[in-house]
């Protein structure tokens, strides 16, 4: 099921914007596409102290004939693909002040792949937790939401990788925490994270470590909106935030009195498809073509995530090993 930005969501996002800074007037970014989200969502998490980058890295992409030939005949005939996108925080994804245009790493890669394949991109903003089930039902062709490749997801979802991101931690500036290299360091604390994410699963899976260490368990506070995650930290209702590495690094630059702790683990991130999709080879060839023509590096540089580059796109690779602690 798709989700639209509700008044309650807009209020949550506005509160986040007030925490981070007054909303700015941002200019449109190349690769941004209008979505079904209604106007009035200008308080989305993308509103930040520093203006988002506006370099056009998509419009000059040429059609990759070899990649386009790998498309299924029905997709070539209709000339488009549908994409379900979760919008959270920069640099992965954000709204412009119009409340409709989605920008970020995900949007630029989706836009560039569409250009390379000679297809029109039709985007709908969908709640993060709803995207993968919707792909399985055939409602959308592809999903984006900084989806990390995990063994659990590989059972029902195919991926075409385009960056490497993962899991990171942040906390308030006055916290004694320096880094979270062992999850038992969280024992007795309240950890805020997003619903339906690898972060939530990692935290829930490892809760028992505190009891084994003779310590009080940590509490997992789950939120559907990224803005609410950071609000809980700022208001002292949570002690630590666990989110994407790139998202946490960006967020701490936009807020006072918070600090980045560390990367906990890396995961490959990719376009998500229903299992067995015939679209994967074409998308993989398109991403690798973007690497060859320099567009790939330009997207990473634009969003300040060059450390997230991958050597080549893969189709549903094995999950990268998790830390033993």
């Amino acid at each position: 099921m798709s989700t639209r930005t509700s008044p309650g969501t807009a209020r949550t996002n506005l509160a986040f914007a007030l925490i981070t800074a007054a909303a700015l007037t941002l200019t449109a970014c190349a690769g941004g596409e209008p979505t079904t989200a209604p106007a009035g969502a200008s308080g989305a998490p993308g509103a930040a102290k520093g203006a988002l980058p506006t370099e056009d890295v998509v419009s000059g992409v040429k059609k990759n004939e070899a990649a386009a030939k790998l498309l299924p005949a029905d997709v070539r005939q209709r000339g488009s693909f549908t994409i379900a996108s979760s919008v959270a925080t920069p640099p992965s994804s954000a709204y412009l002040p119009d409340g409709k245009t989605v920008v970020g790493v995900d949007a630029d890669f989706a836009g560039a792949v569409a250009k390379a394949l000679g297809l029109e991109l039709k985007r709908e903003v969908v709640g993060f937790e709803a995207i993968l089930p919707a792909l399985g039902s055939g409602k959308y062709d592809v999903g984006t939401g900084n989806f990390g490749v995990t063994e659990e997801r590989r059972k029902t979802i195919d991926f075409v990788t385009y960056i490497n991101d993962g899991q990171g931690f942040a906390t308030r500036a006055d916290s004694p925490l320096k880094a979270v290299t062992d999850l038992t360091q969280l024992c007795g604390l309240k950890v805020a994270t997003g619903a339906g994410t690898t972060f939530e699963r990692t935290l829930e899976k490892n809760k028992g470590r505190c009891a084994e260490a003779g310590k009080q368990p940590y509490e997992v506070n789950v939120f559907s909106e990224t803005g609410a995650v950071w609000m809980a930290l700022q208001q002292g209702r949570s002690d630590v935030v666990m989110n994407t590495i790139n998202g946490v690094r960006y967020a701490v630059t936009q807020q006072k009195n918070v600090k980045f702790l560390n990367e906990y683990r890396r995961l490959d991130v990719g376009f998500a498809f229903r299992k067995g999709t015939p679209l994967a080879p074409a998308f993989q060839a398109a991403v690798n073509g973007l690497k060859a023509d320099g567009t790939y590096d330009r997207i990473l540089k634009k969003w300040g995530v060059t450390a997230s580059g991958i050597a080549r796109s893969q189709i549903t690779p094995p999950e990268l090993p998790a830390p033993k602690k």
Side-chain angles (χ1 to χ4, degrees):
M1 178 185 296
S2 66
T3 59
R4 299 169 184 264
T5 304
S6 66
T9 296
R11 285 192 294 271
T12 297
N13 287 337
L14 179 57
F16 174 84
L18 291 173
I19 288 171
T20 56
L24 296 176
T25 300
L26 305 177
T27 53
C29 298
E33 294 286 341
T35 74
T36 57
S42 59
K49 285 196 302 185
L52 297 176
T54 60
E55 179 188 358
D56 182 352
V57 292
V58 172
S59 65
V61 174
K62 306 297 183 184
K63 184 175 180 180
N64 183 330
E65 296 292 348
K69 287 180 181 178
L70 298 175
L71 288 167
D74 62 323
V75 176
R76 286 201 305 270
Q77 184 174 8
R78 75 174 186 250
S80 66
F81 65 91
T82 57
I83 184 167
S85 297
S86 170
V87 180
T89 57
S92 177
S93 57
Y95 282 117
L96 291 183
D98 62 10
K100 297 180 181 180
T101 305
V102 177
V103 297
V105 174
D106 292 346
D108 274 348
F109 272 115
V113 166
K115 293 275 289 184
L117 296 177
L119 298 175
E120 178 188 0
L121 183 157
K122 297 182 177 180
R123 176 182 286 114
E124 184 174 345
V125 173
V126 180
F128 181 88
E129 310 98 304
I131 292 179
L132 298 186
L135 294 175
S137 71
K139 184 172 183 178
Y140 304 101
D141 295 313
V142 59
T144 57
N146 205 282
F147 287 110
V149 180
T150 67
E151 292 306 314
E152 180 182 353
R153 288 173 174 169
R154 275 165 36 100
K155 296 174 183 177
T156 56
I157 296 294
D158 276 337
F159 294 91
V160 171
T161 59
Y162 56 91
I163 61 168
N164 175 274
D165 195 348
Q167 304 175 341
F169 289 99
T171 187
R172 289 185 299 279
D174 60 359
S175 171
L177 279 174
K178 303 297 183 185
V180 179
T181 56
D182 185 326
L183 294 181
T184 58
Q185 292 172 265
L186 300 174
C187 296
L189 301 179
K190 297 177 180 179
V191 187
T193 195
T197 61
T198 61
F199 323 117
E200 180 187 7
R201 283 192 288 277
T202 295
L203 291 167
E204 292 293 350
K205 179 181 178 181
N206 291 282
K207 262 187 172 180
R209 293 186 183 183
C210 292
E212 293 171 2
K215 299 180 179 181
Q216 290 293 317
Y218 53 75
E219 179 181 315
V220 183
N221 295 332
V222 179
F223 301 90
S224 295
E225 294 294 330
T226 305
V229 172
W230 291 101
M231 192 186 306
L233 179 69
Q234 289 278 13
Q235 295 178 347
R237 292 182 287 113
S238 294
D239 303 300
V240 182
V241 163
M242 187 180 190
N243 211 303
T244 66
I245 294 168
N246 291 336
V248 170
R249 284 190 182 278
Y250 179 87
V252 299
T253 69
Q254 306 303 306
Q255 304 180 61
K256 294 180 179 179
N257 303 319
V258 295
K259 64 182 180 181
F260 179 78
L261 289 176
N262 62 294
E263 297 183 8
Y264 179 68
R265 69 172 299 194
R266 284 273 175 175
L267 286 171
D268 287 320
V269 171
F271 295 107
F273 305 83
R274 64 177 174 82
K275 196 69 178 175
T277 178
L279 287 170
F283 271 68
Q284 180 192 32
V287 173
N288 286 329
L290 296 174
K291 286 190 65 68
D293 70 17
T295 301
Y296 183 91
D297 289 338
R298 286 190 288 273
I299 292 174
L300 296 188
K301 183 178 180 181
K302 170 184 174 178
W303 293 102
V305 293
T306 54
S308 286
I310 57 175
R312 63 185 179 87
S313 177
Q314 299 182 76
I315 297 175
T316 320
E319 178 181 350
L320 295 178
K324 293 182 179 180
K325 293 183 178 182

